[in-house]
Amino acid sequence: MQVLPIASGKGGVGKSLVATNLSIALAQAGKQVVLADLDLGASNIHLVLGLGSVREGIGTYLENPGKKIDDVVIDSGYENLRFIPGDAEIPGIANIKTSQKRKLLKDLGSLDADYLIMDLGAGTNNNILDFFLYSGQGIVVTAPTLTATLNAYLFLKNAIFRIMSNSFKRNSAAWDYLDKLRQDGQSLQKVYVPKLLERMSAEDPEGFEVFERKMSLFHPGLIMNMLDDPKEGVRAQKIRRSCKEYLGLDLEHLGIIYRDHLQDVALNSRLPIIAYKPQTVLSQAIYRIADKILQQEGENTGPLDYMTLDDSYLTAELEAEIDFDARVFEMEGMLNSGALSYGDLVETIKSQQYEISQLRKENALLKKKIVSLMQDRQDF
C-alpha cells in the first residue's frame, strides 16, 4: 500500500479538496483507495463526498478500545473508494495521546488497499508532523500567495526538525541543544539548518547517521493550487530554492491547479468537482496529478535524481500555460453560449481585482515583517 499524507502550512489552500478529488481519480483508475480524514477537530470531507452526517469515525475508534479500524471504514459512494470519517464533534479529538497516535498509524498501515490518502489538518503541531512523516512521499498543498508559500516552507522546515528530534537520543548533547532551541521559538525559526547539522554531526555522529538515513527516505511532493495566472506558478520554484538552500531538501513538483468558481458550485451540490464536472480544467489537472502518481507506482521509493526533479518544474510551468489557454477558451465558449453573461464576467473581474488589492496590502505588511526578521537574524 502506498501512503500519501496530504498537508498544508496554512488553512484555506484547498488541501481537503485536493485529497478528496485525487482519491476519486485514483479509484477511477481501478485502484483500491482508502481516504482517511485526519483533520481531527475540523473534519469535513464527509460533506465534500456528499455523505451528510456520519455516526462513527476515527474519534469513535479512538475513544472505544473495543473498536477496530475496519469498524469505521465506510463506503464513500464512489467505486473502489472507501472512507474513514474524522469525527469533529468529539471533544479533544484534535489532541490525541501518543499511544493513540501510534495505535492509529499501526492500524491504518494494516488496511488492505493500493493507496491510503491521509488528509491532515493545517499547521505544524507534532501530531500533524508525525502523520505526515509516516510516509516519505507526503504531499504539501499550497497557493501562490506570500503567506501560503511561506507557510509551506515553514511546514517542511518543522518536519525536518521533527526528524531531527526523533534521530538523536534523549539527553545527548545534540538532543539537549535542540531542546534548548525548541524552548525558544524565535531561535528555532532563525537557525540556519545546514550550520546546525554541522554541529549535530560533531556532537553526536551516531545520531547524525540515523538522521541522514531518515532524510534519505523523505522526498515530499508539492502541488500549487488556486492559480489565477501562469506567472504565479513560478512561486513553486521559490519554495524549492528555499528548501534546497536552507534545509538541504529538494521537492518534486506534482502539478498546478487553477482556481475555478465551479468548485464552489460543486461544494454546494455536495459533489467533488471531479464528479460534478470531470471535463473542467480543474478536474483535468487532478487527473494529471493522479497519472503522475500512478506512473511512479512500483518504482524505487528513493529520492528522484536532479534531472527528474528539474523536469517536474518545467512540466508544471508548461501545464500552467496550457491550462490558462484552456480556461480562456472555456470562458469564451460560455460567453458565446449565453451560459455566462458579460455582467457575470465583469463581476468576476471586479472580485479578482479586490482580492489582488487585498493580497498586495498583505504582501507589503509581510515584507516589512520579513525585513525585520532578517535584521534580527543578523543580530542573532
Side-chain angles (χ1 to χ4, degrees):
M1 182 173 66
Q2 188 170 344
V3 181
L4 298 175
I6 299 183
S8 64
K10 73 185 291 289
V13 298
K15 166 185 57 62
S16 295
L17 296 172
V18 169
T20 306
N21 286 282
L22 182 59
S23 297
I24 295 173
L26 291 169
Q28 288 177 349
K31 299 298 177 181
Q32 294 298 319
V33 182
V34 174
L35 171 60
D37 192 344
L38 289 176
D39 189 352
L40 303 177
S43 55
N44 61 0
I45 286 184
H46 58 286
L47 299 176
V48 182
L49 288 169
L51 296 175
S53 61
V54 289
R55 290 193 299 177
E56 295 185 335
I58 288 173
T60 319
Y61 152 82
L62 290 174
E63 294 295 313
N64 297 276
K67 285 278 183 185
K68 296 180 180 178
I69 194 71
D70 287 329
D71 295 334
V72 293
V73 180
I74 64 174
D75 182 21
S76 71
Y78 295 88
E79 189 177 0
N80 298 328
L81 176 62
R82 291 174 291 157
F83 173 56
I84 306 178
D87 278 1
E89 296 180 5
I90 294 182
I93 190 62
N95 302 310
I96 62 174
K97 301 172 185 175
T98 301
S99 57
Q100 291 177 312
K101 177 173 59 183
R102 286 175 180 165
K103 179 178 185 295
L104 176 57
L105 287 173
K106 180 183 176 183
D107 289 351
L108 285 172
S110 70
L111 291 169
D112 183 18
D114 297 312
Y115 287 91
L116 169 64
I117 309 289
M118 303 197 304
D119 178 57
L120 310 183
T124 56
N125 70 49
N126 284 345
N127 284 336
I128 291 172
L129 292 173
D130 287 343
F131 286 134
F132 187 74
L133 293 170
Y134 180 63
S135 164
Q137 296 171 294
I139 297 171
V140 176
V141 178
T142 187
T145 63
L146 182 58
T147 49
T149 53
L150 178 60
N151 278 280
Y153 165 77
L154 289 175
F155 178 86
L156 290 164
K157 182 174 183 179
N158 278 283
I160 287 177
F161 275 112
R162 187 64 177 163
I163 295 173
M164 276 190 217
S165 296
N166 294 330
S167 299
F168 298 102
K169 291 180 180 177
R170 186 178 290 269
N171 297 327
S172 66
W175 194 91
D176 287 342
Y177 183 68
L178 279 175
D179 192 46
K180 211 175 277 185
L181 287 175
R182 273 194 298 267
Q183 291 174 20
D184 181 2
Q186 287 190 342
S187 296
L188 187 63
Q189 292 304 335
K190 291 175 185 176
V191 72
Y192 182 54
V193 173
K195 197 74 176 173
L196 173 63
L197 290 176
E198 285 181 18
R199 176 166 181 167
M200 297 293 100
S201 176
E203 295 271 11
D204 186 350
E206 185 181 339
F208 185 72
E209 281 186 20
V210 174
F211 169 76
E212 283 196 314
R213 189 163 62 249
K214 289 182 177 180
M215 281 297 294
S216 70
L217 301 172
F218 184 51
H219 38 95
L222 181 72
I223 293 176
M224 182 65 74
N225 192 21
M226 295 182 168
L227 266 68
D228 287 312
D229 187 278
K231 293 177 183 176
E232 294 177 332
V234 301
R235 293 180 187 174
Q237 286 278 16
K238 294 182 179 180
I239 298 174
R240 183 193 186 192
R241 281 196 296 270
S242 295
C243 287
K244 286 177 72 174
E245 183 175 351
Y246 298 110
L247 305 180
L249 174 71
D250 208 346
L251 300 171
E252 180 187 8
H253 198 335
L254 288 171
I256 58 92
I257 304 173
Y258 275 93
R259 192 194 304 270
D260 193 330
H261 74 282
L262 284 176
Q263 176 67 78
D264 296 329
V265 178
L267 275 177
N268 291 333
S269 303
R270 297 290 179 89
L271 283 170
I273 185 68
I274 207 169
Y276 181 71
K277 293 283 184 182
Q279 297 304 320
T280 61
V281 172
L282 192 159
S283 296
Q284 291 301 306
I286 294 286
Y287 280 123
R288 200 165 52 211
I289 292 168
D291 285 342
K292 291 175 184 177
I293 291 170
L294 289 167
Q295 285 169 13
Q296 294 174 2
E297 193 175 86
E299 292 181 3
N300 191 337
T301 56
L304 299 174
D305 61 74
Y306 287 112
M307 285 189 66
T308 304
L309 291 170
D310 286 344
D311 284 346
S312 74
Y313 285 81
L314 293 172
T315 300
E317 289 174 18
L318 179 60
E319 290 167 351
E321 295 284 351
I322 293 170
D323 281 5
F324 184 76
D325 291 341
R327 286 181 80 213
V328 171
F329 182 77
E330 191 177 81
M331 192 74 74
E332 287 175 349
M334 292 174 71
L335 281 170
N336 293 332
S337 67
L340 181 71
S341 70
Y342 281 102
D344 293 333
L345 185 58
V346 169
E347 286 302 314
T348 301
I349 293 170
K350 282 181 179 178
S351 174
Q352 289 180 345
Q353 286 176 336
Y354 174 75
E355 287 179 11
I356 291 168
S357 173
Q358 293 299 109
L359 288 171
R360 281 175 178 164
K361 291 177 184 177
E362 183 184 344
N363 286 349
L365 179 62
L366 284 166
K367 282 177 182 176
K368 287 182 182 178
K369 289 183 178 180
I370 290 170
V371 169
S372 175
L373 285 169
M374 292 298 290
Q375 184 62 49
D376 290 344
R377 178 179 172 181
Q378 289 175 359
D379 295 339
F380 177 76

